[in-house]
Amino acid sequence: MRIVIQDNYDKMALWAANYIADKINNHTEDRPFVLGLPTGSSPIGVYKELIRKNKAGEVSFKNVVTFNMDEYVGLPHEHDQSYWYFMHDNFFDHLVDLPEENINMLNGMTDDPEGECRRYEEKIASYGGIDLFMGGIGVDGHLAFTEPYTSLSSRTGVRALTTDTRIVNSRFFGNDPEKVPATALSVGIGTVTDSKEVLVLISGHNKARALAATVEGGVSQKWTCSALQLHNGAIIACDEEACGELTVDTYKYFLDIERGERL
């Protein structure tokens, strides 16, 4: 596992955007670059920088295929809290050359949720898997909507959301947890860790326990993020505030490793 510690959120987002752009630009396989994407507050700065790079001609998305992590069940595209709306409003609509047909998102309005999840997995496989999956984690360490105690080998499926998750997300629904959908369609931990690389963004002191569990704790379904310990291409980009629960030795170790790689 690689841990990249930056001074603050803005520097973390810039580092992650540069890393993703370099991966796209250096992709030489005779197939599209397949990019997994999250919603939430963590990737906003990354999306803004990728948009800037795209408009400046520093990175092209014409040969990129995207797959998003999740979607609420029961929210139509036009709902301002649907993840379809979020992604188009914050990213897709601002790129100059990403083909609409290359965008893949789970359909929360489907009449066949299980079939939708199965087709999503099949479509990912049809592209030869995901090259890089960017994600964020919740305060309880969940990736996408893989709540605590979700199987670490789980695939895309229907997820019941915990009360804690609905309370946290209620800030987007008028602070009323009852307005937050109770279920979502989400990729699984196995879906994410099948990717060639996984880049997880962790910022803020409220994510400090989750970062410590990811890096220093045992592999456990209680902290689904801990599955990253088993991935050869896992990278965590974090800011200083998120490092508050790491032991001093761990913190210094990863700073030293990154400093050595830059020399």
Side-chain angles (χ1 to χ4, degrees), residues 8 74 81 143 151 196 208:
N8 53 49
Q81 293 306 319
L143 283 162
S151 168
K196 293 178 182 176

Side-chain angles (χ1 to χ4, degrees), residues 22-34 63 131:
D22 287 346
K23 287 292 178 176
I24 294 172
N25 288 335
N26 292 323
H27 182 70
T28 58
E29 293 185 41
D30 188 23
R31 66 176 184 85
F33 184 86
V34 185
N63 197 37
D131 293 294

Side-chain angles (χ1 to χ4, degrees), residues 2-261:
R2 181 181 179 189
I3 314 296
V4 179
I5 303 169
Q6 298 292 312
D7 293 341
N8 53 49
Y9 173 83
D10 289 339
K11 289 183 178 180
M12 180 199 76
L14 179 61
W15 185 92
N18 287 337
Y19 188 85
I20 293 169
D22 287 346
K23 287 292 178 176
I24 294 172
N25 288 335
N26 292 323
H27 182 70
T28 58
E29 293 185 41
D30 188 23
R31 66 176 184 85
F33 184 86
V34 185
L35 180 62
L37 297 173
T39 55
S41 57
S42 295
I44 292 293
V46 181
Y47 290 152
K48 287 181 178 179
E49 178 60 15
L50 287 174
I51 290 166
R52 187 202 66 76
K53 285 178 173 293
N54 180 241
K55 290 182 175 178
E58 298 174 15
V59 63
S60 171
F61 282 81
K62 66 182 179 181
N63 197 37
V64 173
V65 170
T66 68
F67 285 88
N68 260 79
M69 279 189 156
D70 43 25
E71 180 59 281
Y72 286 116
V73 170
L75 293 189
H77 289 171
E78 61 271 16
H79 193 289
D80 64 3
Q81 293 306 319
S82 76
Y83 289 161
W84 189 99
Y85 186 100
F86 176 98
M87 289 303 303
H88 284 77
D89 188 47
N90 288 286
F91 192 45
F92 296 146
D93 288 350
H94 304 282
L95 297 172
V96 300
D97 60 358
L98 175 64
E100 182 71 24
E101 61 269 21
N102 285 11
I103 298 171
N104 295 280
M105 302 192 71
L106 287 155
N107 177 14
M109 296 297 291
T110 180
D111 292 330
D112 180 13
E114 296 291 347
E116 172 72 4
C117 295
R118 184 172 58 253
R119 288 188 292 270
Y120 205 65
E121 286 280 341
E122 291 170 352
K123 193 163 188 183
I124 291 172
S126 75
Y127 283 101
I130 291 174
D131 293 294
L132 187 154
F133 218 134
M134 177 171 67
I137 64 174
V139 295
D140 60 3
H142 70 261
L143 283 162
F145 277 127
T146 57
E147 303 281 28
Y149 304 106
T150 302
S151 168
L152 299 184
S153 62
S154 58
R155 313 304 303 187
T156 304
V158 182
R159 307 281 189 253
L161 305 188
T162 65
T163 299
D164 284 347
T165 293
R166 296 179 75 191
I167 290 172
V168 169
N169 289 358
S170 68
R171 66 190 189 276
F172 303 116
F173 292 83
N175 294 313
D176 183 356
E178 291 302 314
K179 293 182 179 179
V180 181
T183 55
L185 307 182
S186 174
V187 297
I189 291 296
T191 313
V192 174
T193 55
D194 273 357
S195 306
K196 293 178 182 176
E197 289 187 282
V198 182
L199 171 58
V200 174
L201 311 172
I202 306 179
S203 66
H205 183 69
N206 64 326
K207 303 288 181 71
R209 286 186 65 226
L211 175 59
T214 304
V215 178
E216 297 179 330
V219 177
S220 167
Q221 288 178 293
K222 181 177 180 179
W223 296 91
T224 53
C225 54
S226 66
L228 295 175
Q229 294 179 28
L230 304 177
H231 196 291
N232 286 330
I235 304 170
I236 294 175
C238 60
D239 62 11
E240 286 282 351
E241 287 190 2
C243 296
E245 296 291 333
L246 294 177
T247 62
V248 173
D249 283 349
T250 299
Y251 174 79
K252 288 183 175 180
Y253 171 81
F254 284 108
L255 280 180
D256 185 57
I257 289 293
E258 287 300 311
R259 183 165 52 247
E261 288 189 2

